[in-house]
Amino acid sequence: MRNLYHTIRADIFKLLHTNLVLLHLLVPALGILLFCGYYSYSPWSERQKLYGYAQAVAIVFPLMISVGVSMLYEMELKAGNFQTILSVPCSKAVSHAGNLTALCLLGLFASIFAVFGFGIVFRFLGFVKFSLPFYFRLSLILFLSNLALYVLQYGICFMAGRGISLSFGIVGTLISPLFYLSLGDYIWKYIPYGYGIRTATYYCYRYADSGTYKTIAQDFRTGIITAGIITVILSIVFVIGSSRWEGRNVRQE
């Protein structure tokens, strides 16, 4: 555990000096400016505006994760062909876990900035139906629902290359809205790209539309449990795979 703690700490300091910080700052800031600018004169109701923004953040998350993982991959590739991972005195799983955890912490910051920051500006515009604690909880839900994607995209990138990882991220962003429709009612629980948009929407219903939430409460609870199990399974596969990773199957791009 001590090795993991020191690795995470070192990786956090390492990432703070990279463009990954800018990615996690600029994307949420741009989203807040664009949506709040449009919402200042849009005829939509306050509830519709919030739902639309939360779903937009959930849709963008897969692509942002894949871009962040790809940037981390490129950084490690340039550092002597992954020597900072391969030459560690402890298990390579610890080094990979440190990288992934540091990236997840940046993702947590971006999620809070994107949703809680939006909530502050949104309330400043006069839309006060939803409290600030609601926005904070929603940001945590969006992040936690995408933990499986962080593990999945990281594994794809370091096992198959950043090109394939970016492709998965683009496809995930394109198909994630489909999981919000009735088409994804039965399968969203088993595909991580559908977790964000479903859980965010369900939580909004729970807070603002109790009648609708009662009809989907069972699906929400079942989905949360299934998503949690799949996240744990992916994490176990990640630990086993990263401990045996040698960087040989990753083609330099």
Side-chain angles (χ1 to χ4, degrees):
M1 291 300 295
R2 179 176 295 182
N3 285 334
L4 179 60
Y5 168 76
H6 289 301
T7 300
I8 294 172
R9 184 182 178 189
D11 286 330
I12 290 173
F13 284 117
K14 177 178 66 178
L15 296 188
L16 288 177
H17 295 85
T18 68
N19 290 331
L20 278 165
V21 176
L22 288 177
L23 172 70
H24 290 80
L25 279 172
L26 294 180
V27 173
L30 182 61
I32 292 171
L33 289 174
L34 289 176
F35 275 84
C36 286
Y38 172 65
Y39 286 166
S40 63
Y41 63 86
S42 170
W44 293 6
S45 68
E46 182 175 347
R47 183 186 300 177
Q48 289 174 323
K49 291 175 180 179
L50 172 66
Y51 289 1
Y53 182 77
Q55 290 166 5
V57 173
I59 290 170
V60 171
F61 234 117
L63 181 59
M64 186 173 173
I65 292 172
S66 66
V67 172
V69 171
S70 297
M71 291 173 66
L72 178 60
Y73 168 92
E74 185 176 6
M75 182 177 64
E76 293 293 350
L77 177 63
K78 291 180 178 179
N81 291 323
F82 310 107
Q83 286 306 305
T84 55
I85 297 176
L86 296 172
S87 61
V88 292
C90 54
S91 170
K92 291 185 289 293
V94 173
S95 187
H96 279 294
N99 267 334
L100 180 58
T101 303
L103 186 62
C104 285
L105 290 175
L106 282 179
L108 174 60
F109 165 79
S111 183
I112 294 174
F113 182 20
V115 180
F116 190 70
F118 168 81
I120 293 174
V121 178
F122 200 48
R123 288 175 65 86
F124 181 76
L125 293 175
F127 302 103
V128 295
K129 181 177 181 179
F130 299 91
S131 65
L132 287 179
F134 164 81
Y135 289 106
F136 182 74
R137 290 191 295 268
L138 179 59
S139 69
L140 296 182
I141 287 172
L142 272 168
F143 168 73
L144 291 173
S145 63
N146 282 287
L147 276 178
L149 273 186
Y150 274 100
V151 180
L152 181 62
Q153 289 287 158
Y154 187 97
I156 292 173
C157 191
F158 279 82
M159 295 296 177
R162 67 174 180 266
I164 296 178
S165 177
L166 281 171
S167 298
F168 269 84
I170 294 171
V171 172
T173 289
L174 292 175
I175 68 173
S176 59
L178 299 178
F179 293 109
Y180 172 66
L181 305 175
S182 57
L183 178 66
D185 282 347
Y186 300 103
I187 63 173
W188 75 269
K189 309 176 188 67
Y190 310 104
I191 302 177
Y193 294 101
Y195 295 168
I197 193 167
R198 278 281 179 162
T199 55
T201 303
Y202 283 0
Y203 179 71
C204 290
Y205 283 154
R206 180 180 181 182
Y207 188 89
D209 192 346
S210 58
T212 301
Y213 178 74
K214 288 179 181 179
T215 64
I216 59 175
Q218 183 59 42
D219 187 54
F220 180 52
R221 287 191 289 267
T222 304
I224 291 296
I225 294 173
T226 305
I229 294 173
I230 290 177
T231 302
V232 170
I233 293 173
L234 287 174
S235 299
I236 294 173
V237 173
F238 165 79
V239 172
I240 296 173
S242 59
S243 64
R244 300 178 180 179
W245 184 80
E246 296 293 341
R248 295 171 183 169
N249 295 326
V250 180
R251 178 168 54 87
Q252 185 169 343
E253 304 175 37

